[in-house]
Amino acid sequence: MNKPVDIESAQQLRVIKIGNSHGVILTKAMLAKLDVAPGDAIDVVIKPDGLFVRKHDAGFAEQMAAARDVMLRRRDALRELAK
């Protein structure tokens, strides 16, 4: 089940214009909590109730790319297995 949101730990950020795009500035504490430094990659997952931000995991990204490739090539076999 979904965990309740801890309202007291929520922090408000402002959306700013960066060139032709928009962004938010993460505080030092947020970067430390994510264990990232300037220049590191992060993953942003869009969910129905908001965004989820985490440190990029290259190994996981490679595994997901391989899984997507298998799902595309073996679509019929996977459909039969699902029955």
Side-chain angles (χ1 to χ4, degrees):
M1 216 57 201
N2 293 338
K3 291 185 206 175
V5 176
D6 181 8
I7 299 298
E8 292 184 20
S9 69
Q11 295 182 11
Q12 185 180 53
L13 301 175
R14 298 248 181 237
V15 177
I16 60 170
K17 188 161 178 62
I18 305 171
N20 289 331
S21 301
H22 294 82
V24 294
I25 296 174
L26 301 177
T27 65
K28 241 184 200 182
M30 290 176 186
L31 293 175
K33 183 82 171 167
L34 288 171
D35 189 28
V36 295
D40 288 350
I42 59 171
D43 295 325
V44 178
V45 180
I46 300 172
K47 295 187 173 194
D49 58 340
L51 300 176
F52 179 73
V53 180
R54 65 178 172 216
K55 184 177 183 177
H56 178 70
D57 182 355
F60 179 74
E62 289 175 17
Q63 291 172 352
M64 287 305 298
R68 285 187 193 100
D69 182 49
V70 168
M71 287 186 277
L72 285 173
R73 288 187 292 115
R74 305 288 185 212
R75 174 183 275 161
D76 294 334
L78 292 170
R79 187 176 293 126
E80 286 299 315
L81 287 171
K83 289 182 180 179

